[in-house]
Amino acid sequence: MKRRVITGLFVLLCVFLLLSLIWFGWRHMAYSGFAKDMTRTDMSSPLFPTYAAKDEDGFDYTVKYPDYLSLTGNLAVGFPGTEENPFTDGLIIWPKCTGRYEYGVILNSREDDGNGYMFYIDAQGNAMDAEYQSIAEEYQEVIRELMDRAQNTWNLN
């Protein structure tokens, strides 16, 4: 009986190690291309890599690899921040295992009231939820700029 328990635990350990190795390999293959020519951030670690870059116009780009045994990481593009307002409009992209992408935007209110919006959009910049479509239309130039920069940086299909 003791031998069976030890054998069972050994098999479980081997399956867990194999699953972890497969996951690390997949994660590296899926995200390393996005992080090309970027610098590892201070918050990065071997288990949770995060990379960042800034282009000649001051736009920020980040690549956050999936957390351990997760399939969800993200890419982000943000307008240049200022010392007075480091929080800017941004686009978040979630690469999917299928090769497709999900998109979301974070938009700051144009009034100086400290409000903003966060919602999902499609690849054309339209709000996924009809409630936010008027906001997506109001911010269409901002969304288009972010989408174009993401496309130019990562060649999203």
Side-chain angles (χ1 to χ4, degrees), residues 83-95:
E83 284 193 29
E84 301 85 43
N85 186 13
F87 304 105
T88 62
D89 298 329
L91 171 69
I92 301 172
I93 304 158
W94 294 275

Side-chain angles (χ1 to χ4, degrees), residues 25-45:
W26 166 82
R27 182 185 76 165
H28 177 74
M29 289 183 344
Y31 281 81
S32 63
F34 294 125
K36 185 179 178 204
D37 299 328
M38 291 187 162
T39 305
R40 220 179 238 263
T41 67
D42 293 338
M43 297 180 300
S44 188
S45 73

Side-chain angles (χ1 to χ4, degrees), residues 36-138:
K36 185 179 178 204
D37 299 328
M38 291 187 162
T39 305
R40 220 179 238 263
T41 67
D42 293 338
M43 297 180 300
S44 188
S45 73
L47 280 180
F48 311 110
T50 303
Y51 291 84
K54 192 176 286 274
D55 70 12
E56 61 277 353
D57 297 324
F59 281 76
D60 296 306
Y61 300 84
T62 60
V63 175
K64 195 227 174 265
Y65 282 48
D67 290 338
Y68 184 62
L69 295 182
S70 170
L71 300 178
T72 305
N74 67 64
L75 317 173
V77 181
F79 271 87
T82 63
E83 284 193 29
E84 301 85 43
N85 186 13
F87 304 105
T88 62
D89 298 329
L91 171 69
I92 301 172
I93 304 158
W94 294 275
K96 298 300 177 185
C97 294
T98 61
R100 301 177 70 96
Y101 303 94
E102 284 186 2
Y103 303 90
V105 288
I106 300 171
L107 303 169
N108 293 304
S109 176
R110 292 194 171 151
E111 291 85 41
D112 198 17
D113 58 8
N115 291 326
Y117 311 97
M118 294 187 299
F119 55 91
Y120 291 102
I121 60 172
D122 63 19
Q124 289 73 44
N126 300 307
M128 299 295 285
D129 185 341
E131 174 185 352
Y132 296 104
Q133 185 56 34
S134 63
I135 297 164
E137 290 169 4
E138 179 183 347

